[in-house]
Amino acid sequence: MKLRSIIVDDSYIQRMAVAKLVDNHPNLEMVAEYSNAIEAKNGINNNDIDLIFLDVEMPIINGFDLLESLVNPPQVILITGKPDYALRAFDYDVTDYLHKPITLTRFNNAVKRAMANYGKMHKVDGEAEYIFVKSNLKKRKVVLNNIKWVEALGDYVKLVTDEANIVILSTMKSFEQQLPEDKFLRIHKSYIVNLEKVEKFNSKKVEVAGRLIPLSRNKKTELMEALNGV
């Protein structure tokens, strides 16, 4: 397993130093590097990223500003030359905090922590695969098979599960990337369904646990093919 990683740092020399550490680590895959937060935000929104190595001190938009702008950020390892940012860093639920110059031992320990977090978030417990989501400022375990459907609510998404409805701050696109493609399908701009929960459908509607959900016209064939594979 490799964590898809990016580096965000305005210093070319620092980016090269971190890139070398990433390239030499067996559990990391370098996706991209960015010299500013604006380019980084676009890259994060358009790619499936597991881990960000993020410099705090950047001009115009610093590392904390970037984190605040992300709806559903991946894991973050902050990098800084100033130790007094440490307390603020953990207010953002970062995975780890590295102080420049970065030692190999400290870097490896930070990656080990990120790997452990990834394992917890995507762990398969017997037959029950689950993820963790943040709802009401708390991490909450959600068994994937208990999700009936996911519904867009503006800047939030609602997970309709067997036990309760869970509202989290996320875009549909970002949350969709956390779900296994063979078990879930986005059938409409505002709905993702659990394929195993689909009871019946026609050209306009899908019935999931007794609820009729709209089906986009261009998604019917994809739904039929996906259901054949379930």
Side-chain angles (χ1 to χ4, degrees):
M1 179 182 68
K2 290 190 175 185
L3 301 184
R4 291 171 53 82
S5 308
I6 63 170
I7 301 168
V8 187
D9 197 314
D10 63 309
S11 166
Y12 173 80
I13 294 175
Q14 186 62 34
R15 288 201 310 275
M16 292 303 98
V18 177
K20 184 176 180 181
L21 292 169
V22 171
D23 288 337
N24 290 334
H25 198 287
N27 296 119
L28 298 178
E29 176 187 347
M30 173 71 78
V31 175
E33 54 182 82
Y34 302 98
S35 61
N36 63 75
I38 296 174
E39 291 179 355
K41 183 177 180 180
N42 290 333
I44 293 165
N45 288 337
N46 293 315
N47 293 280
D48 186 10
I49 304 301
D50 300 311
L51 181 62
I52 307 173
F53 292 93
L54 177 61
D55 181 33
V56 175
E57 301 103 357
M58 293 187 293
I60 305 177
I61 302 175
N62 65 34
F64 292 124
D65 293 334
L66 174 60
L67 289 182
E68 289 180 359
S69 73
L70 298 176
V71 174
N72 191 26
Q75 289 195 76
V76 175
I77 295 176
L78 282 181
I79 300 173
T80 179
K82 296 181 180 180
D84 50 343
Y85 285 123
L87 287 177
R88 185 181 178 190
F90 288 98
D91 287 339
Y92 289 84
D93 196 28
V94 301
T95 298
D96 210 338
Y97 178 92
L98 298 178
H99 188 256
K100 301 175 186 178
I102 303 168
T103 66
L104 179 59
T105 298
R106 188 68 186 85
F107 178 85
N108 287 341
N109 286 339
V111 174
K112 187 181 296 184
R113 181 174 293 178
M115 293 289 294
N117 287 348
Y118 184 92
K120 291 176 183 177
M121 293 169 66
H122 300 81
K123 186 175 180 181
V124 177
D125 184 9
E127 292 292 322
E129 186 178 358
Y130 60 82
I131 59 174
F132 279 92
V133 299
K134 183 178 283 188
S135 179
N136 295 326
L137 303 179
K138 294 181 180 179
K139 290 289 182 67
R140 182 167 179 172
K141 177 180 173 181
V142 179
V143 176
L144 292 179
N145 197 47
N146 288 346
I147 299 174
K148 299 176 183 177
W149 69 84
V150 181
E151 183 175 346
L153 296 174
D155 293 333
Y156 296 81
V157 296
K158 179 173 71 174
L159 314 185
V160 179
T161 76
D162 293 338
E163 291 84 18
N165 294 341
I166 303 168
V167 177
I168 63 173
L169 179 63
S170 176
T171 63
M172 285 288 276
K173 180 179 179 180
S174 179
F175 189 75
E176 184 180 8
Q177 292 174 348
Q178 299 184 56
L179 301 172
E181 294 180 1
D182 60 331
K183 295 181 180 178
F184 291 85
L185 179 68
R186 189 168 183 176
I187 62 167
H188 183 274
K189 64 180 182 179
S190 298
Y191 290 93
I192 299 170
V193 297
N194 184 336
L195 293 168
E196 294 183 355
K197 306 286 187 181
V198 173
E199 297 171 348
K200 53 187 175 182
F201 68 95
N202 56 31
S203 59
K204 295 182 178 180
K205 301 285 184 180
V206 176
E207 185 171 330
V208 179
R211 164 76 180 268
L212 292 178
I213 294 173
L215 172 65
S216 294
R217 183 168 51 186
N218 61 344
K219 286 288 185 175
K220 183 180 178 181
T221 300
E222 189 175 349
L223 176 63
M224 293 173 63
E225 293 174 352
L227 290 172
N228 287 332
V230 173

